[in-house]
Amino acid sequence: MASTRYVTWTIKKATPTITPPTARTDLVYDGTEQTLVNAGSVSGGTMEYNFYPGGSGWSTNVPTAVNASGYSVQYRVVGGTNYEDIAPQYVTPQSQIMQADPQLTLTPSTLALLKGQTATVDATWLGGGAISASVTSGAENIGISVSGGTITVTASETNAGNATILVTCSGSGNYRSGSATVSVAVYGNLTYYGTITPLSIARYMLAAANVGNYVLAMGGGASRGLSAVVDAYDQSFTRSNPANITMARSNLTAVNAGEYALALGGSYGSGSFNNEVDAYDSSLTHTRITTISPARSNLASAKVGNYALVMGGTKVLSSAAGTTTSSDAVDAYDTSLTRSAPAALSVARAYPAGASVGNYALVMGGKAGTSSAGTASSVVDAYDASLTRTTPMALSQARYQLAGLSNGNYAIAAGGHDGSTRYDTVDAYDSSLVRTTPTALSYARQQIASATVGDYALAMGGINGSSRYDTVDAFDLSLTRITPTGMSVGRYGLAGAASGNYAFAMGGHSSAVSSVVDVYTTS
């Protein structure tokens, strides 16, 4: 009889094939649940996760967390019927949610203060950290105190200069520490110094520029004809008379070009225009250099980089007919007095204003068209240090015979008229060519002189109908307008320039042609 035997076979559980999870170390707190690992995978079995220590239990869900911290995550594989279990393993390195930027913001981040003036800076930030502040440079110029999120800054009563404040918020919880800076400029109060030795010849529609330790008043219309006289004032207010400009003329412009003061263009009679350029060095030595092209008057000037630019003006339209029109010409002189011709203005115009800010020289407004039928323009052209032209936002009001002012932060177009209305309008362009419209002039007027002293841009004098103004409006680095004591006599068609801590308002026309020189100073 046959027998039966039984054989038992054992099928061992297979080893699962896994791709381990990996830690996430790129996480930054954002207030939401974030997954802490890149999920692993398994062929044969189920992968589960848990925190260590303190986990609430194993789960197939990838662990998440909200708060900034380091997190230890374990994983394991439950093999089930046919696969081996894999014992708990650590995900390495540790998963991290980093602290977030506290987004510390300081408002304002720049301050321009007079001596003794106080201002506050408001700090806003995320997290529960505390604010502290210190002066990292210029400690002799300011004092500070901190209360909560407010930094109080007090300018020195005696010192002027720059300072930097470092503001720090400490790290706390989900936010790391952060810092930001406030730049502070402390400058002297603008005051009226008084009158000094008058011009050697009374004149108006003259031009002024500085060179070395001198301010020069050049040319202009005198009570009898035109003048070629140059008056030079040093910082002790001593007046001297260097060589005359090449030809007597009025309605010229003047600009500093490195080691030279230049007198450019002008008119020497009705419809007769000049192209001469006279240069004076810091020793007041006179040189006649390459002329502008074409000859013109009522032109603007400004500096940018290594160039002095002469822009627009009035030129001859027809010699036979005796007609004139606006010019789009631009002449550039470098510090070696070499002349070049950059791109023309986008719109030809006379009586524009020139001013500089940052990396730009601006020519603003003016009168477009013929002298008899022209119209006021609102166009602004800007030339950078490579003499490339752009056209930023136009003036808020078209006008000509306006003043171009500059301070460290802004190029400013002030006043002017459009043929029928005089304006008190002020437009300001920052170094990014963004336009703002600050406080208007205290009086609407045209034919205003300009100068920059300390951190003030000055608009001096002017005319509106029969009114001759002695008013001086000054704009500081934050475009706050102050009105110091007026000039000794109201007048228009005067010239302005500055040297050291002094701004000069020279000549002009009141009830008659004037030789008066008024001086303003920052102390």
Side-chain angles (χ1 to χ4, degrees), residues 219-302:
S223 56
R224 295 182 180 181
L226 300 174
S227 175
V229 167
V230 177
D231 291 298
Y233 293 87
D234 65 20
Q235 293 177 21
S236 300
F237 308 137
T238 301
R239 192 196 75 200
S240 58
N241 292 101
N244 287 356
I245 56 176
T246 303
M247 178 179 286
R249 57 200 196 266
S250 64
N251 299 94
L252 65 165
T253 192
V255 64
N256 173 271
E259 298 300 318
Y260 298 91
L262 307 183
L264 311 99
S267 61
Y268 56 92
S270 178
S272 299
F273 303 116
N274 189 276
N275 63 356
E276 295 288 347
V277 181
D278 295 278
Y280 294 83
D281 66 17
S282 58
S283 300
L284 302 183
T285 301
H286 171 252
T287 307
R288 184 181 178 188
I289 65 171
T290 305
T291 58
I292 60 172
S293 180
R296 56 200 195 273
S297 67
N298 307 317
L299 57 175
S301 56

Side-chain angles (χ1 to χ4, degrees), residues 41-58:
S41 61
V42 59
S43 176
T46 302
M47 186 170 288
E48 295 180 338
Y49 306 90
N50 195 11
F51 288 107
Y52 180 85
S56 59
W58 292 93

Side-chain angles (χ1 to χ4, degrees), residues 457-476:
L458 278 59
M460 304 179 288
I463 185 173
N464 186 339
S466 61
S467 298
R468 277 72 165 163
Y469 288 96
D470 63 5
T471 304
V472 174
D473 292 305
F475 295 87
D476 67 18

Side-chain angles (χ1 to χ4, degrees), residues 193 195-197 213-215 232-240 499-502 504 519:
Y193 179 89
T195 59
I196 61 172
T197 303
N213 293 319
Y214 293 95
V215 163
Y233 293 87
D234 65 20
Q235 293 177 21
S236 300
F237 308 137
T238 301
R239 192 196 75 200
S240 58
S499 179
N501 291 326
Y502 300 101
F504 298 72
V519 174

Side-chain angles (χ1 to χ4, degrees), residues 76 153 201 224 260 267 271 281 288 344 367 420 427 510:
R76 71 179 183 182
V153 184
I201 297 176
R224 295 182 180 181
Y260 298 91
S267 61
D281 66 17
R288 184 181 178 188
K367 184 178 183 181
S420 59
D427 295 289
S510 53

